[in-house]
Amino acid sequence: MDLHTVRAVYFIGAGGIGMSALLRYFLSKGICAGGYDRTPSELTEQLAAEGADIHYDDDPARIADVFRDPAHTLVVYTPAVPETHAELRFFRTGGFATLKRAQALGMITKSARGLCIAGTHGKTTTSSMTAHLLRQSHVDCNAFLGGILKNCGSNLMCSAASDLTVIEADEYDRSFLQLSPFMAVITCADPDHLDIYGTPEAYRESFEAFTSLIRPGGVLVIKAGIRVTPRLQSGVRLYTYSGSEGQGDIYARNIRIGGGKITFDFVSPFAEIRDILLGVPMEVNIENGVAAIALACLNGVRPDEIRRGMKSFAGVARRFDFRLKTDRLVFIDDYAHHPEEVRRCIRSVRTLYPDRKITGIFQPHLYSRTRDFVDGFAESLSLLDELILLDIYPAREEPIPGVTSQIIFDRVTLAEKTLCSKAQLPALIAAGSYQVLLTIGAGDIDRLVEPLGQLLEQK
């Protein structure tokens, strides 16, 4: 379908973070947009307030008349939706154009200069930093992000002046292979989504295929030392980067951490910028920041704009998100759901608060990921001082026999550890004493953050 003929777009899985950015894009163009999601959320309520027609029953009878014209309605669905979904079957049998989210995003951005950020970890923060740096500078940009950027309260940016488009390039279901980047970043390629890829080798190969899509004359900025061999077209420049001196073409130097602040100097073949202060003082954000600054510099953002943008970057909701910060108590919410992400989160907190007791509430995400990485989760969670472990959030999966949170719990080496249900958690927190408290996970643990914050403020 030619996007110029589209009059309505229906989303199956409308409340997903990536899907909602696309929905908002079509609304911004004056196109009728709406759809289905499994459960109400703060995000779906926001979409409805912005003009989207959203419902929560998988029932073709609930589809509004405006979405029933096959000639002018585009249907976009998330790969997490099963083939048995009644509404998806209705549209497919009715002759409607149906696209996965990544295909729709690829169509929209085909004529733009896409700045695509990929990687197992760090892609949401790095893409959001990149978008913020460009947006607050004289350059400007569009952006489709995988999280809510706190500076603008949205996961979508639209510009009438710039064709630069920052895209969080998701590797799930090989989605990022639908893109045609002008420039790209790969933050890492630690194996994940093995329910889709099968083997770590197949996972890494998809990143190599992604590098082959960068347009001639473009740029790849890749983390130094990761096990990905780029397959670049002629004329594509290659830079490696890292968060520390001596590794890569682009790196951070003169890193200063103390008093809850992180400052560093940016060094590259095309720019050196001193005294960059991180708006979100997480140790891994040095590395994320180096990649984002590199893309911004390569697209004309000035050093003074870089300093101002990095200092004012407020972060992404659920990415090392400070919910409460007093002399007595710190409460941080983080989306980490892979053992390496969990390790980085805890290590960053330990760096900022070396003399405080750190308690983590962790909700495992997916039975398959728990099974595949149980030892890694146990090792990372053992870096805490105290662990509260919730039940597995299943998302799209059916239970796997023998796979529960207990298999992580039994391997964690901490003396202070507790298995707890979500229903029991508020009472447990109300009865406890905390110095630094973390909520960690990608499931529905985010719905507990607000009530936990209120409990902690009362303590």
Side-chain angles (χ1 to χ4, degrees), residues 446-459:
D446 62 314
R447 301 190 182 190
L448 302 174
V449 171
E450 189 66 32
L452 290 181
Q454 293 174 3
L455 273 176
L456 293 169
E457 285 182 334
Q458 294 167 10
K459 288 177 71 67

Side-chain angles (χ1 to χ4, degrees), residues 93-325:
T93 57
F96 289 77
T98 59
L99 296 177
K100 289 184 179 180
R101 181 190 67 85
Q103 293 172 310
L105 183 59
M107 287 178 64
I108 291 170
T109 59
K110 198 168 186 180
S111 60
R113 288 183 294 159
L115 308 180
C116 302
I117 292 87
T120 318
H121 328 298
K123 58 182 175 286
T124 298
T125 299
T126 304
S127 57
S128 299
M129 276 184 177
T130 303
H132 177 65
L133 289 174
L134 289 162
R135 186 71 162 186
Q136 57 85 53
S137 77
H138 74 284
V139 178
D140 204 3
C141 71
N142 306 274
F144 293 87
L145 304 174
I148 303 299
L149 177 58
K150 295 169 78 172
N151 291 86
C152 64
S154 182
N155 51 356
L156 174 72
M157 294 179 180
C158 293
S159 170
S162 175
D163 71 330
L164 287 172
T165 303
V166 179
I167 303 164
E168 179 170 334
D170 187 5
E171 78 278 9
Y172 176 72
D173 198 37
R174 297 177 172 84
S175 294
F176 61 174
L177 300 185
Q178 302 291 334
L179 303 173
S180 53
F182 166 56
M183 295 184 182
V185 166
I186 298 178
T187 62
C188 63
D190 295 336
D192 197 5
H193 303 302
L194 298 185
D195 56 322
I196 300 293
Y197 286 96
T199 67
E201 291 73 24
Y203 183 79
R204 292 190 184 97
E205 194 279 335
S206 71
F207 281 89
E208 295 178 359
F210 172 71
T211 68
S212 72
L213 303 176
I214 301 171
R215 302 173 193 171
V219 174
L220 172 63
V221 180
I222 186 169
K223 173 76 182 298
I226 67 173
R227 293 174 58 191
V228 170
T229 303
R231 305 174 189 169
L232 302 179
Q233 298 187 57
S234 177
V236 176
R237 287 175 287 165
L238 173 65
Y239 298 102
T240 58
Y241 79 96
S242 78
S244 56
E245 189 169 0
Q247 300 179 47
D249 307 308
I250 307 168
Y251 54 88
R253 184 171 63 194
N254 192 23
I255 298 168
R256 287 144 281 165
I257 302 176
K261 297 181 179 180
I262 298 178
T263 307
F264 65 93
D265 300 339
F266 172 82
V267 181
S268 76
F270 41 82
E272 290 194 19
I273 308 172
R274 294 182 178 180
D275 300 327
I276 295 168
L277 178 66
L278 284 179
V280 180
M282 183 181 181
E283 189 177 14
V284 73
N285 278 347
I286 301 171
E287 186 178 288
N288 294 332
V290 167
I293 293 167
L295 281 186
C297 288
L298 287 164
N299 286 284
V301 180
R302 298 189 303 262
D304 62 308
E305 294 172 327
I306 295 288
R307 288 192 196 91
R308 183 176 68 235
M310 292 301 293
K311 182 179 179 180
S312 63
F313 177 68
V316 183
R318 300 228 59 227
R319 267 63 174 191
F320 210 75
D321 190 355
F322 282 87
R323 305 292 301 207
L324 187 63
K325 191 175 183 180

